[in-house]
Amino acid sequence: MEPVLPSLERSSLPVYLTRFVGREQERARLATLVVNKRLLTLIGVGGIGKTRLALEVAANAVASFPDGVYMVELASL
């Protein structure tokens, strides 16, 4: 699955300068879930790449959502 750069008009996602490598099964599973559920929670210990995985899946899903895909940071709450 090749990364897709999000449209700046329909996304607030950061654009990474490096490629996302691996985790094909997780990306495929999340891609299916995000289209059907629209809200997912990834859990796990810190530093394993949950945020980067979520952003990669979101960037690839921008075309599926006419209103766009946006990142909302909730950590400060």
Side-chain angles (χ1 to χ4, degrees):
M1 198 180 308
E2 284 298 313
V4 176
L5 292 177
S7 167
L8 295 177
E9 296 173 1
R10 295 182 16 214
S11 168
S12 68
L13 305 176
V15 177
Y16 288 99
L17 299 178
T18 58
R19 288 188 56 193
F20 188 88
V21 178
R23 299 180 83 168
E24 286 83 12
Q25 291 178 341
E26 291 90 343
R27 285 193 290 174
R29 178 74 174 130
L30 288 173
T32 300
L33 288 172
V34 77
V35 172
N36 295 320
K37 303 293 181 190
R38 294 192 174 201
L39 176 65
L40 300 174
T41 301
L42 302 181
I43 58 172
V45 297
I48 61 170
K50 298 178 297 291
T51 300
R52 181 70 191 261
L53 174 61
L55 290 171
E56 181 70 17
V57 171
N60 285 301
V62 170
S64 299
F65 296 96
D67 293 326
V69 175
Y70 301 90
M71 181 174 178
V72 178
E73 291 279 355
L74 301 175
S76 63
L77 299 176

